[in-house]
Amino acid sequence: SPEESVQRIVVKSTKKGRSLRGGEPATIHATVVSKSFYDRVDFYYSASVITPNWIYITTVAPKKGEFEVNLPRPNFWQISFNLPKCDDVNGCKVAVRVVLRSGRDALDETIAGSSKPAQPCGLDDYDDNDDLAFDILPSKRPQDLCDFQINVELDE
């Protein structure tokens, strides 16, 4: 059977049917393979894919005995965050990271690993990190949010 791993990451706009736009809310869905009650799954995002600065979103814990976990699940809070602002009229490339931190000890699988602090990169033997880079539309500018009224007078 497969080791702990991140199998899939999906990012969606919280506005049904809408494209991802800078500054707007989005959700992260991840499918992971978990082997231990002590496993943890951390979620991060970065406004840059060239020089990522991972911003922590949240951590969730799979249920004991589950081997494949689809996150978020109905009994978890929805994993949502605001996409970074994008000032480029052509859009921006951003990223999310999902880190599966294993609770297993690589030297003795019968001993649960220590509770590790949230960090943007899993370092232990059974940990797994996966990133998803994607494009977002530019953030709405204040002038885009205004209702303009135009009066047109036609000469007769």
Side-chain angles (χ1 to χ4, degrees):
S1 67
E3 296 299 328
E4 280 96 342
S5 63
V6 178
Q7 300 287 309
R8 183 177 68 130
I9 303 171
V10 177
V11 178
K12 295 181 181 180
S13 173
T14 60
K15 299 178 180 187
K16 196 167 187 145
R18 297 267 310 262
S19 297
L20 296 168
R21 180 178 291 280
E24 291 188 354
T27 59
I28 302 175
H29 302 268
T31 302
V32 302
V33 175
S34 172
K35 297 285 186 178
S36 168
F37 175 74
Y38 299 99
D39 287 354
R40 297 295 179 262
V41 183
D42 304 322
F43 294 83
Y44 298 86
Y45 75 91
S46 175
S48 169
V49 297
I50 306 295
T51 55
N53 176 28
W54 297 109
I55 308 297
Y56 175 76
I57 300 169
T58 193
T59 297
V60 296
K63 281 185 173 179
K64 184 176 182 178
E66 286 189 24
F67 293 109
E68 186 153 340
V69 181
N70 287 301
L71 301 170
R73 296 194 313 251
N75 58 332
F76 277 124
W77 288 78
Q78 187 174 38
I79 300 168
S80 62
F81 69 108
N82 283 338
L83 290 162
K85 291 206 176 287
C86 173
D87 295 326
D88 188 325
V89 296
N90 297 313
C92 298
K93 188 171 284 291
V94 299
V96 294
R97 171 171 281 184
V98 178
V99 178
L100 175 62
R101 290 183 291 124
S102 174
R104 293 193 293 159
D105 186 315
L107 299 176
D108 183 353
E109 293 189 27
T110 64
I111 299 172
S114 62
S115 177
K116 298 169 230 158
Q119 56 190 342
C121 190
L123 303 174
D124 288 340
D125 292 339
Y126 295 114
D127 293 352
D128 188 29
N129 313 293
D130 280 307
D131 301 339
L132 174 67
F134 54 96
D135 295 313
I136 60 174
L137 296 173
S139 300
K140 291 185 177 179
R141 301 169 300 167
Q143 61 267 34
D144 295 335
L145 303 175
C146 297
D147 290 328
F148 291 99
Q149 200 170 38
I150 299 173
N151 293 323
V152 178
E153 294 182 24
L154 300 174
D155 292 332
E156 292 185 35

